[in-house]
């Protein structure tokens, strides 16, 4: 298995929901485990742990995949954004190596798995070989296969359409696409929809997954910028905080050089 060009994978990845229940072969599973060790966090001061567990250790109403990837985190700062940023690296790695994967909101590790970590459980990602009867479900043909908002609905960034396009195609919880971007080719500011923009009784859960989704989009932005030869620094911009679009709140900025 190889670390692929994540930028090109962004334009073909698909959330795979139907799997061959035969486990991934041992060698491939070891390579996936080794790649987890190379994941880069957005914030180095937030402790995280990523584990691979079998279906038998997952509480889920629907039997879906033979394997699940679990991320645990120290609950501080933008830890949910950080978790999304990190696990999306695995989503793209798996897709780029022809292994299906999908972010999962409802399934969770069983109590034995939870007790074996001192960190907070955040979310799981299912993965495995796609159902052989549905090989077309592994990848999309291109950007037109995605159901997403248009660029002008999510961005006022000047001179960097090819960068923001990568974020536009990012997966999000319920395809909510909770992001908005401003700035230019040198710095892109990322905003997330405010909690009160969703129904009150669903707000805490929805906002959790929306925040994780923002981390996914941030990683897509970074992968695109690096693809075009830019060095990226993730920073906090005080001016951007005071200029949030209506119904959005500031999260972070990506400075490119």
């Amino acid at each position: 298995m190889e670390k692929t060009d994540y930028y090109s994978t962004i334009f073909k990845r698909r959330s795979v929901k139907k799997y061959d229940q035969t486990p991934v072969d041992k060698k491939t599973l070891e390579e996936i485990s080794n790649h987890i060790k190379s994941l880069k966090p957005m914030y180095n001061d937030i402790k995280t742990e990523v584990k691979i567990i079998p279906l038998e250790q997952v509480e889920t109403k629907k039997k879906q995949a033979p394997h699940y990837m679990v991320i645990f985190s120290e609950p501080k700062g933008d830890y949910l954004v950080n978790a999304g940023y990190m696990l999306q690296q695995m989503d793209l790695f798996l897709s780029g190596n022809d292994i299906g994967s999908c972010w999962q909101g409802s399934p969770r590790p069983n109590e034995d798995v939870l007790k074996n970590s001192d960190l907070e459980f955040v979310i799981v990602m299912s993965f495995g070989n796609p159902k052989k009867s549905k090989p077309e479900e592994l990848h999309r043909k291109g950007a037109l296969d995605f159901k997403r908002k248009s660029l002008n609905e999510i961005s006022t960034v000047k001179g960097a359409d090819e960068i923001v396009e990568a974020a536009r195609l990012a997966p999000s919880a319920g395809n909510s696409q909770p992001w908005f971007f401003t700035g230019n080719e040198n710095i892109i500011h990322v905003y997330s929809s405010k909690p009160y923009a969703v129904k009150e009784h669903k707000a805490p859960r929805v906002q959790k997954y929306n925040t994780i989704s923002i981390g996914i989009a941030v990683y897509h932005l970074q992968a695109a910028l690096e693809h075009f030869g830019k060095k990226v620094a993730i920073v906090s911009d005080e001016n951007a905080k005071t200029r949030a679009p209506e119904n959005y709140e500031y999260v972070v900025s990506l400075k490119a050089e």
Side-chain angles (χ1 to χ4, degrees), residues 119 163 228:
L119 303 176
I163 304 299
F228 287 102

Side-chain angles (χ1 to χ4, degrees), residues 80 123 172-178 192-214:
L80 296 176
I123 197 167
S172 58
N175 201 25
S176 57
Q177 305 166 64
S192 176
S193 57
K194 287 184 176 181
Y196 64 73
V198 298
K199 292 182 179 179
E200 185 175 347
H201 69 286
K202 294 183 178 180
R205 187 179 182 201
V206 170
Q207 194 60 23
K208 172 186 175 180
Y209 294 129
N210 279 355
T211 306
I212 293 170
S213 299
I214 291 294

Side-chain angles (χ1 to χ4, degrees), residues 7 10 85 92 155 157 160-168 170 179-182 188-191 214-228 230 232 252-254 256:
Y7 180 75
I10 285 169
Y85 176 92
L92 294 174
S155 172
V157 176
D161 283 0
E162 73 275 21
I163 304 299
V164 181
E165 176 70 356
R168 186 181 77 87
W179 39 66
F180 198 90
F181 310 101
T182 68
I188 298 175
H189 309 297
V190 182
Y191 299 87
I214 291 294
I216 297 173
V218 170
Y219 186 74
H220 277 212
L221 286 172
Q222 180 170 335
L225 287 164
E226 291 178 344
H227 174 82
F228 287 102
K230 301 289 187 179
V232 182
V252 76
S253 300
L254 291 89

Side-chain angles (χ1 to χ4, degrees), residues 23-59:
V24 171
D25 66 85
K26 185 177 180 180
K27 181 177 182 296
T28 300
L29 205 57
E30 286 177 355
E31 292 185 59
I32 294 170
S33 296
N34 287 334
H35 191 71
I36 287 173
K37 300 173 186 176
S38 70
L39 296 182
K40 296 179 180 179
M42 182 186 293
Y43 302 107
N44 291 318
D45 63 336
I46 298 178
K47 295 179 183 177
T48 58
E49 183 179 19
V50 180
K51 295 182 178 181
I52 294 176
I53 60 175
L55 174 62
E56 292 73 25
Q57 293 182 329
V58 178
E59 295 180 356

